[in-house]
Amino acid sequence: MSLLANILGFSAFGLAARVGQLGIQKRNLLDNPGGHLLAMGVFGFAGYWAYQWDQRAGVLLAEKRAEILASRQKQIQKAEAAAVVALAEAE
């Protein structure tokens, strides 16, 4: 998902939350547009943060996968070397 889509989606959710809040309070929905902008901004920032967190998590997972792969290759090489030694001793 792109950064812009993430921010806009979270901002729309913030607007919906604000409208829902005013609806529960039975207040005029268009009374204070600054509150709408504030809610959209806060939720939009949360969307930006979530996007950045997701990107960083992807990098960390890729690094960890590479470490695991390297570790497995070393274990395979050690096992093969041990098998060669054991085979040579058996002869």
Side-chain angles (χ1 to χ4, degrees):
M1 185 183 296
S2 72
L3 175 62
L4 183 61
N6 213 13
I7 291 174
L8 290 177
F10 273 77
S11 294
F13 183 79
L15 178 63
R18 176 71 177 160
V19 168
Q21 174 190 23
L22 293 176
I24 289 172
Q25 295 176 353
K26 295 184 181 180
R27 291 175 43 196
N28 184 5
L29 298 180
L30 301 176
D31 188 31
N32 185 10
H36 297 315
L37 293 176
L38 180 66
M40 290 176 71
V42 168
F43 277 84
F45 178 73
Y48 172 77
W49 182 81
Y51 177 81
Q52 294 299 329
W53 180 40
D54 186 45
Q55 294 299 312
R56 180 67 182 142
V59 169
L60 290 174
L61 285 172
E63 290 174 358
K64 191 63 175 177
R65 283 186 187 120
E67 288 177 18
I68 290 170
L69 181 63
S71 174
R72 286 180 182 165
Q73 287 176 346
K74 286 180 184 178
Q75 287 177 348
I76 290 170
Q77 289 173 352
K78 285 180 183 179
E80 287 175 349
V84 168
V85 169
L87 193 64
E89 289 176 358
E91 293 179 351

